[in-house]
Amino acid sequence: MKKFNIRKVLDGLKEQASSSASSGQSGTQENNLMQETLQSENFQLCKTVRHGFPYQPSSMAHDPVQKILAIGTQSGALRLFGRPGVECYCQHESGAAVISLQFLINEGALVSALADDSVHLWNLRQKRPAILHSLKFNRERITFVHLPFQSKWLYIGTEKGNIHIVNVESFTLSGYVIMWNKAIELSSKAHPGPVVHISDNPMDEGKLIIGYESGIVVLWDLKSKKADYRYTYDEAIHSVAWHHEGKQFICSHSDGTLTIWNIKGQGKPFQTITPHGKQPKDGKKPEPCKPILKVEYKTTRLGDPFMILSGGLSYDTVGRRPCLTVMHGKSTAVLEMDYPIVDFLTLCETPYPNDFQEPYAVVVLLEKDLVVIDLAQNGYPIFENPYPLTIHESPVTCCEYYADCPVDLIPALYTVGSRQKRQGYSKKEWPISGGNWGLGTQSYPEIIITGHADGTVKFWDASAIMLQVLYKLKTAKVFEKSRNNKEEKQNTEIVDEDPFAIQIMAWCPESRILCVAGVSANLIIYRFSKQEITTEVVQLLEVRLQYEVNDMESPPEGGGGGDRGGGGDRDLPTPGTASPSPQTTGPPTHPSTSSNSSDGVRDNVACLKVRSTPLKQSPGYQVELVVQLVWVSGEPPQQITSLALNSSYGLIVFGNSNGLAVVDYLQKTVLLNLGTVELYGHNDPYQRQPRSPRKTRQPSGGLCDINEGSASEDRCKSPTSVLALNHQQFYNGSGGRGAKMSRKLSLPTELKPDLDHRDNSFSRSRSSSVTSIDKEAREAITSFHFCETFARKGDSTITPCLYVGTSLGTVLAMALNLPPAGEQRLLQPVIVLPSGTLGRLKGSILRMAFLDNTGTFLPPAFELWYEPNAVGADSEERDKARKRRPVSVSPSTSQELQESQYAVVCSEKQAKVIALPSQNCIFKHSITETSFVLRADVVQMNIGNCVACFCANGHIMTLSLPGLRPLLDVNYLPLTDMRIARTFCFTNLGQAMYLTSPTEIQRITYSQETCENLQEMLGELFTPVETPEAPNRGFFKGLFGGGATSLDREELFGETQAGKASRGLAQHIPGPQGLEGMKGAASGVVADLARARIALDERGQKLGELDERTAAMLASADSFGKHAHDMMLKCKDKKWYQF
């Protein structure tokens, strides 16, 4: 733990103040010319909604009247689900695991019990639920919680075997306690163990069944405060369930047996069943099975009862998946699950426990999924889950977020995605259908794209505050499936597992062109088509990216990215020689390229093998071109660290720590292939030492010494420079074998524990000062930006350009000479001309953007989407669309006295605004001194533009444009997990998101307007619903008894009769605002109407109760008067000695 140094903080503040002051002076003139519309009051940070499967679930509850589901997790989170689109996330402050949840059915409230022995009451009658009361137990550990239907008394079982009773309204303890030593027989000397079950007899509320872990079950009479019956079994108990008539109950045990007991037959069980045990022929006891963790016993009016249980499989079923068993009459169905079962609940038609249950579905909570089974249909099909719970189907490796997309994009993706849906689901409606949608005013389309470890890419509709999967793309289909040939794998692959994992994505929403970079140094370009095609041969380009000039031997013919000669002259190669011809015939990989020299050095070998058989491509995204980096003289290709595409120019550019390559995906050629040292030509500003001989060379990207110096050491003296991670590198390998790359990360010790997990093992590049073991300044390419701007200082006209940012903070420009649109574009070469350096900043360059002379954002030029597989008349339309090359909005070039454009550049440490074409820095702002920026985006708000930054110290900041004034700075969350670093992204209109756990996306907003409208946008969980009528007792049951008998719990558990509870047992903690504050917190017309109706119902109910009490008091007074009169008549004639 480092010591806190206040002097360094003060120095940093002084330096920041001075830098902002100097930048303010330098840009006074420009600031006068451009009025900044965004002010600090336009910004506010708040969480909006959380999507995905609750991470590490631990408990579940269901309200059968409201039809809402609650799930608690091991981190103290609470997720509530209603109808599709109605979700809510809450968090217990302590972060302790939620061990039990109990709804106050149809009351709009929920009780949660945590592993830290606290019990909380949540108010669900508001859009953001909040805690009303809490109770913290001090002496006893909570093990079980039970709340009877329509009761305000909560039973709490403890580890010591005692049961305490809590008044849910006041959240105070009753003096009534059931002690374990009174519940068990006096002759029993052993402790019965913790309470594992509590429930009242469905037909008699005065009888309570208590299950102890050791195998003892007690039927307790609440009125007489003694045990009526005791039932003992040799095996430990896991759960207990009642038959609805209250005459029988069933227990599940640790040896895989079920025992059914009559309540009056306490000697031995009425029946013993081993559902999965092999029955021996000689009548002996069946072989023990795994424990049955839970059983539910549900009756039907017309058929056999359902017995539903989890666990209980035979021990010899090794490797079998977890199962849910449904026993109905003579049939037993074993339903296999993909993950271990955490809990399950049976959904029934009635909330009353003393009526026929009529079960219709089972909700099964698994460790990583939620499954709902239809009990009413043959074969027990599952319901199609409408919630976005499949984010983690394969681990998420990268994300992108796009707000304000073209309006036709979501329908197009939905159309092709709807064909991918599985068949065989239940035909019924999703049964969890409670709540109401919010009245959202946001209408712009939003799309989230997630890249996954198995090579899939998922498109999600994130409009308003919902999330729905639109389309799923499997990129691994392009490659041959890897065989279990260890030698072959070792020769080519540079990662041990998940070789198809997605690392970076670039997407043009207007043209719908998608480019994905994989972890195996591969790149795939996709076009969107509504027609199915079969691609006979996948187009392939192989590129040799090398770092040093003296490394650059001429590749064999047909090998890939261009021959630059032995290295003296660094002139730009002509496009003809630099571009291998596109492969049109034969298999995708040339035999000549995949060569190993006689000494075993691999050269021109790609990491993955592109498939050679025809590829059937369904409507949606279809492969246009595959680009692969190859091994160079025994050196594995470095992973791609940056990527950009431009649909108007038809170009893709990518880079890594070796250099960059520009690919023309229309002509399918490599236009430019530059090593990093060649970027600067003869004007290289860095003293690069020659590398050690190849014999002793270690695989690059391996373990590094964080204390070793480099040429860039003085450029990055912040503590962050020790984070020597390849940009977007992930998934630790198991160390280098032979010349295979080692993918271990070198980190400061205090960060290592967080990165040990597979989900956390990659991050953005921090500093290149320690990337190599050879003490060299290994400069990586970290960002790109296509634009139409001034290529050189003092230019008078704007041209298409590519701007390049590096890990040493350098920004370089490249001019693009494009042929005319149409046929000429496909025939003539594109020429790329390096045009010099724009400037340098501290730290790696993260983001670049351009503004016009009024401060308006200049988007890169783009092409509108057209159908690539069109025929006939459609193809003519396509050709017309291709000839119209869109031109991005640019200022007139006649302004000679003032600047025409402004370049916005943001690095890990600072932001600059540079005037063009003079290339003068007019504004500069030091974002952070002690930390570093993980993500920066130039975003468009409703009334202006700004720079949004997320720092490693947890701060989220926005800066005005072009003045770089700080508008927002909130310490949002500390970077406890590298998953947040690699998935955090900002987008337009004040939206942002990140992966808060391996299974959940958290969306936030930094817009004041969205924060104000959020209350209206959120859905409502509680809706006023009439509670179903209680079951009719029937004439004979009412006449002769046998119906449900009620119990006056108020009298029994109240302070008058039960006395006060022990003071030190539990501590009452009131909620943050109390009941009135909570009710007032809900807003909106719907909530107001609901509250008014509830208030009227409550008032009517109270008046009715008052009327009943008055009538009862009158009847009692009449009775008392009558009895007194009878007594007087009886005693009137008696003498005193006769009494």
Side-chain angles (χ1 to χ4, degrees):
M1 190 83 186
K2 292 182 180 178
K3 289 186 179 177
F4 179 72
N5 192 333
I6 189 69
R7 186 178 294 172
K8 284 185 181 178
V9 176
L10 292 171
D11 289 346
L13 288 170
K14 284 178 189 173
E15 194 173 328
Q16 188 171 338
S18 63
S19 69
S20 58
S22 63
S23 68
Q25 289 167 7
S26 66
T28 310
Q29 185 181 353
E30 285 80 1
N31 212 17
N32 292 336
L33 295 173
M34 289 172 286
Q35 187 65 39
E36 291 182 0
T37 50
L38 285 173
Q39 304 298 326
S40 56
E41 53 265 24
N42 298 123
F43 294 91
Q44 182 185 340
L45 193 71
C46 70
K47 291 181 180 180
T48 52
V49 67
R50 183 173 290 202
H51 302 294
F53 182 77
Y55 184 55
Q56 294 180 332
S58 55
S59 57
M60 179 172 60
H62 178 252
D63 186 325
V65 180
Q66 286 290 319
K67 294 190 184 301
I68 53 177
L69 185 76
I71 296 175
T73 74
Q74 291 180 24
S75 58
L78 199 59
R79 292 285 297 281
L80 296 140
F81 297 91
R83 65 178 60 192
V86 178
E87 289 181 39
C88 185
Y89 159 74
C90 318
Q91 177 69 45
H92 293 91
E93 277 187 23
S94 68
V98 181
I99 57 171
S100 182
L101 292 170
Q102 295 280 315
F103 273 104
L104 278 69
I105 293 172
N106 206 26
E107 295 286 332
L110 175 74
V111 171
S112 60
L114 307 190
D116 66 352
D117 310 309
S118 60
V119 187
H120 307 270
L121 177 65
W122 290 85
N123 175 24
L124 307 183
R125 294 194 179 201
Q126 59 191 64
K127 291 192 172 184
R128 286 189 180 266
I131 290 174
L132 293 174
H133 299 282
S134 299
L135 201 63
K136 180 80 168 69
F137 280 75
N138 298 322
R139 298 180 195 162
E140 299 201 45
R141 306 298 310 270
I142 297 171
T143 56
F144 195 85
V145 175
H146 171 63
L147 179 67
F149 178 48
Q150 293 183 323
S151 165
K152 68 174 186 179
W153 297 95
L154 178 75
Y155 300 105
I156 295 177
T158 69
E159 199 173 47
K160 288 184 178 177
N162 304 325
I163 294 174
H164 302 279
I165 298 163
V166 174
N167 184 325
V168 174
E169 288 179 355
S170 61
F171 242 58
T172 52
L173 273 172
S174 165
Y176 191 113
V177 182
I178 302 171
M179 304 299 287
W180 68 269
N181 53 354
K182 290 186 179 177
I184 66 168
E185 291 183 77
L186 295 173
S187 58
S188 175
K189 294 179 182 178
H191 189 277
V195 175
V196 294
H197 182 83
I198 309 166
S199 60
D200 46 354
N201 187 320
M203 287 294 180
D204 187 353
E205 294 174 353
K207 308 288 186 189
L208 200 67
I209 206 156
I210 306 162
Y212 292 98
E213 192 181 65
S214 63
I216 297 170
V217 178
V218 175
L219 186 69
W220 181 265
D221 188 317
L222 289 166
K223 282 184 181 175
S224 63
K225 299 183 182 179
K226 63 181 178 63
D228 279 358
Y229 300 102
R230 296 179 180 91
Y231 316 89
T232 308
Y233 193 71
D234 296 338
E235 296 293 334
I237 289 176
H238 284 279
S239 72
V240 183
W242 279 103
H243 186 282
H244 85 274
E245 290 178 347
K247 294 175 182 176
Q248 281 186 338
F249 62 89
I250 184 169
C251 300
S252 73
H253 299 277
S254 58
D255 63 345
T257 57
L258 296 172
T259 52
I260 299 173
W261 302 77
N262 289 329
I263 58 168
K264 293 186 178 176
Q266 54 180 331
K268 61 178 184 176
F270 165 73
Q271 189 180 358
T272 303
I273 308 166
T274 311
H276 296 286
K278 292 174 183 174
Q279 298 291 339
K281 292 178 182 177
D282 53 3
K284 288 183 181 176
K285 221 176 164 186
E287 289 180 10
C289 295
K290 294 174 185 176
I292 296 175
L293 301 175
K294 185 174 181 180
V295 64
E296 290 206 343
Y297 194 21
K298 302 296 179 184
T299 53
T300 57
R301 202 174 296 275
L302 300 173
D304 294 310
F306 281 87
M307 259 190 253
I308 303 162
L309 53 112
S310 63
L313 291 177
S314 170
Y315 278 105
D316 60 8
T317 54
V318 179
R320 190 166 178 181
R321 292 191 293 180
C323 293
L324 185 83
T325 306
V326 180
M327 300 170 71
H328 183 225
K330 293 181 180 179
S331 73
T332 300
V334 180
L335 309 175
E336 287 195 341
M337 302 291 157
D338 291 335
Y339 305 102
I341 297 171
V342 175
D343 196 3
F344 73 87
L345 294 170
T346 311
L347 308 188
C348 300
E349 297 288 354
T350 176
Y352 292 92
N354 58 351
D355 194 11
F356 286 99
Q357 300 298 288
E358 304 294 347
Y360 61 90
V362 183
V363 182
V364 189
L365 179 64
L366 308 176
E367 279 187 4
K368 293 184 179 180
D369 202 2
L370 181 74
V371 176
V372 182
I373 298 161
D374 186 352
L375 289 179
Q377 284 188 41
N378 289 333
Y380 304 129
I382 65 168
F383 288 86
E384 185 177 6
N385 197 321
Y387 304 136
L389 302 183
T390 58
I391 292 167
H392 64 287
E393 204 170 21
S394 171
V396 177
T397 52
C398 57
C399 300
E400 292 298 335
Y401 190 5
Y402 299 87
D404 209 10
C405 301
V407 289
D408 59 343
L409 199 51
I410 289 174
L413 287 165
Y414 181 80
T415 304
V416 294
S418 59
R419 302 178 192 184
Q420 299 176 327
K421 289 189 176 177
R422 284 172 50 196
Q423 302 299 316
Y425 290 112
S426 168
K427 295 184 174 77
K428 292 186 180 176
E429 290 289 317
W430 180 250
I432 301 157
S433 56
N436 281 323
W437 291 305
L439 307 170
T441 53
Q442 270 180 229
S443 57
Y444 51 86
E446 298 172 72
I447 290 178
I448 290 172
I449 308 179
T450 53
H452 299 262
D454 64 353
T456 55
V457 176
K458 289 183 184 175
F459 290 78
W460 305 82
D461 177 6
S463 305
I465 52 170
M466 296 194 184
L467 193 72
Q468 181 184 9
V469 69
L470 291 170
Y471 174 71
K472 181 177 173 181
L473 171 66
K474 295 179 179 178
T475 65
K477 282 184 177 179
V478 177
F479 302 103
E480 298 279 3
K481 289 182 180 176
S482 56
R483 300 179 187 87
N484 294 326
N485 187 338
K486 289 188 177 178
E487 286 185 17
E488 191 179 324
K489 274 183 86 174
Q490 197 172 335
N491 280 349
T492 58
E493 291 185 12
I494 57 173
V495 286
D496 284 329
E497 51 186 328
D498 299 323
F500 306 117
I502 307 296
Q503 196 162 358
I504 317 173
M505 298 177 291
W507 189 50
C508 175
E510 288 80 13
S511 67
R512 305 183 191 172
I513 289 175
L514 172 71
C515 184
V516 295
V519 70
S520 297
N522 60 286
L523 207 73
I524 313 173
I525 298 140
Y526 289 92
R527 279 191 188 274
F528 184 86
S529 173
K530 294 179 179 178
Q531 298 178 15
E532 184 176 301
I533 59 163
T534 300
T535 306
E536 293 298 326
V537 176
V538 176
Q539 298 283 317
L540 171 67
L541 281 177
E542 291 185 339
V543 179
R544 292 167 65 91
L545 263 184
Q546 295 163 286
Y547 180 73
E548 285 189 351
V549 184
N550 57 10
D551 283 350
M552 296 167 186
E553 302 96 354
S554 301
E557 281 186 31
D563 179 8
R564 290 184 299 275
D569 193 23
R570 303 216 215 338
D571 290 339
L572 184 76
T574 58
T577 58
S579 308
S581 58
Q583 172 206 343
T584 53
T585 57
T589 47
H590 305 292
S592 61
T593 60
S594 304
S595 60
N596 283 5
S597 61
S598 57
D599 60 350
V601 174
R602 285 174 290 283
D603 192 51
N604 279 12
V605 187
C607 302
L608 298 173
K609 191 175 180 183
V610 174
R611 65 183 290 162
S612 53
T613 53
L615 176 64
K616 184 181 175 183
Q617 306 205 63
S618 302
Y621 274 101
Q622 298 172 350
V623 180
E624 175 88 355
L625 177 67
V626 178
V627 183
Q628 287 188 299
L629 296 182
V630 295
W631 287 66
V632 179
S633 306
E635 285 292 314
Q638 295 289 306
Q639 289 178 350
I640 294 167
T641 57
S642 49
L643 173 67
L645 72 85
N646 187 284
S647 59
S648 177
Y649 307 156
L651 301 180
I652 294 279
V653 59
F654 60 94
N656 60 16
S657 57
N658 280 344
L660 67 89
V662 182
V663 173
D664 180 344
Y665 64 81
L666 298 176
Q667 295 187 26
K668 298 180 176 54
T669 56
V670 179
L671 299 173
L672 182 70
N673 182 349
L674 277 181
T676 316
V677 291
E678 294 181 298
L679 284 172
Y680 303 95
H682 295 291
N683 303 316
D684 192 345
Y686 306 110
Q687 296 297 317
R688 301 177 199 271
Q689 299 173 13
R691 258 199 324 218
S692 52
R694 191 181 301 281
K695 286 183 214 169
T696 57
R697 180 103 185 267
Q698 295 287 335
S700 55
L703 286 163
C704 29
D705 183 357
I706 61 172
N707 297 316
E708 289 180 344
S710 76
S712 65
E713 193 174 16
D714 58 338
R715 298 183 59 77
C716 244
K717 288 190 177 175
S718 73
T720 63
S721 60
V722 296
L723 282 175
L725 311 185
N726 281 342
H727 181 80
Q728 292 273 13
Q729 177 178 310
F730 59 107
Y731 291 173
N732 285 345
S734 59
R737 292 188 297 273
K740 184 170 180 180
M741 288 185 67
S742 165
R743 290 291 170 198
K744 297 289 181 186
L745 308 181
S746 176
L747 290 172
T749 48
E750 60 266 32
L751 274 180
K752 279 181 182 170
D754 292 328
L755 298 176
D756 287 338
H757 304 296
R758 185 163 164 252
D759 285 309
N760 303 340
S761 55
F762 77 101
S763 162
R764 293 188 168 272
S765 164
R766 291 281 54 82
S767 158
S768 61
S769 57
V770 286
T771 311
S772 170
I773 204 163
D774 298 288
K775 297 188 181 181
E776 64 184 345
R778 191 76 178 240
E779 185 174 17
I781 309 297
T782 56
S783 64
F784 295 110
H785 188 77
F786 284 104
C787 54
E788 296 200 2
T789 184
F790 302 95
R792 292 176 178 81
K793 187 172 183 178
D795 272 5
S796 58
T797 56
I798 59 169
T799 55
C801 292
L802 168 65
Y803 274 72
V804 181
T806 76
S807 58
L808 297 186
T810 308
V811 180
L812 304 111
M814 291 185 180
L816 305 172
N817 192 342
L818 296 163
E823 285 183 19
Q824 293 298 312
R825 174 64 185 84
L826 299 176
L827 298 172
Q828 295 182 24
V830 178
I831 298 169
V832 186
L833 297 168
S835 307
T837 305
L838 178 68
R840 290 190 179 89
L841 284 77
K842 286 183 185 175
S844 296
I845 304 296
L846 299 178
R847 191 69 58 198
M848 295 173 279
F850 287 80
L851 312 174
D852 68 10
N853 59 349
T854 63
T856 307
F857 178 74
L858 288 174
F862 57 82
E863 182 179 65
L864 293 173
W865 177 78
Y866 60 86
E867 174 55 63
N869 302 318
V871 289
D874 292 337
S875 64
E876 290 176 17
E877 288 294 320
R878 178 191 69 183
D879 293 339
K880 283 180 187 175
R882 293 188 70 161
K883 283 175 185 173
R884 294 193 305 266
R885 177 186 297 153
V887 179
S888 58
V889 182
S890 300
S892 64
T893 54
S894 60
Q895 303 160 350
E896 294 179 4
L897 297 175
Q898 67 180 53
E899 305 294 354
S900 293
Q901 285 188 1
Y902 299 95
V904 182
V905 186
C906 188
S907 76
E908 294 176 325
K909 294 287 185 180
Q910 57 183 184
K912 282 185 180 181
V913 173
I914 300 165
L916 298 176
S918 68
Q919 297 190 359
N920 293 326
C921 177
I922 56 168
F923 294 106
K924 184 169 79 171
H925 178 74
S926 177
I927 299 170
T928 175
E929 290 294 330
T930 56
S931 186
F932 52 87
V933 179
L934 287 162
R935 176 83 185 209
D937 287 287
V938 175
V939 293
Q940 296 168 273
M941 304 291 282
N942 280 330
I943 56 169
N945 310 307
C946 67
V947 180
C949 306
F950 173 54
C951 288
N953 59 9
H955 283 252
I956 290 177
M957 292 176 269
T958 59
L959 307 172
S960 71
L961 283 176
L964 299 179
R965 291 179 298 111
L967 298 174
L968 174 79
D969 187 352
V970 177
N971 188 0
Y972 174 65
L973 82 165
L975 185 65
T976 54
D977 199 328
M978 296 312 287
R979 182 188 307 105
I980 298 169
R982 73 166 188 260
T983 57
F984 199 104
C985 43
F986 296 98
T987 187
N988 295 333
L989 302 168
Q991 306 293 335
M993 62 151 283
Y994 60 93
L995 231 72
T996 186
S997 76
T999 63
E1000 295 166 293
I1001 284 174
Q1002 177 67 56
R1003 289 165 68 182
I1004 60 175
T1005 182
Y1006 48 96
S1007 159
Q1008 170 69 30
E1009 184 184 355
T1010 308
C1011 287
E1012 287 175 356
N1013 296 331
L1014 184 60
Q1015 196 68 22
E1016 289 295 323
M1017 292 163 64
L1018 292 171
E1020 288 183 288
L1021 284 163
F1022 180 79
T1023 50
V1025 180
E1026 292 290 330
T1027 303
E1029 284 188 15
N1032 192 356
R1033 290 175 67 183
F1035 174 75
F1036 289 105
K1037 281 188 177 179
L1039 190 66
F1040 300 111
T1045 56
S1046 60
L1047 170 77
D1048 188 351
R1049 293 189 180 97
E1050 187 70 42
E1051 182 186 348
L1052 195 62
F1053 302 144
E1055 199 173 305
T1056 318
Q1057 190 167 332
K1060 287 187 178 181
S1062 169
R1063 275 192 179 182
L1065 182 63
Q1067 175 190 358
H1068 176 255
I1069 306 160
Q1073 299 174 35
L1075 183 61
E1076 295 307 315
M1078 291 298 122
K1079 284 185 177 175
S1083 67
V1085 179
V1086 178
D1088 290 336
L1089 288 170
R1091 278 201 306 278
R1093 183 172 172 182
I1094 292 159
L1096 285 169
D1097 289 347
E1098 287 175 354
R1099 186 165 179 259
Q1101 191 178 344
K1102 284 175 182 174
L1103 286 170
E1105 286 173 4
L1106 184 65
D1107 197 28
E1108 286 171 11
R1109 282 182 190 173
T1110 309
M1113 285 172 70
L1114 191 62
S1116 177
D1118 287 345
S1119 174
F1120 180 74
K1122 188 181 175 186
H1123 280 295
H1125 185 69
D1126 290 346
M1127 195 74 172
M1128 182 268 293
L1129 290 174
K1130 191 176 179 182
C1131 304
K1132 186 172 65 171
D1133 297 329
K1134 288 188 178 182
K1135 303 294 181 186
W1136 62 270
Y1137 52 81
Q1138 290 176 313
F1139 286 105

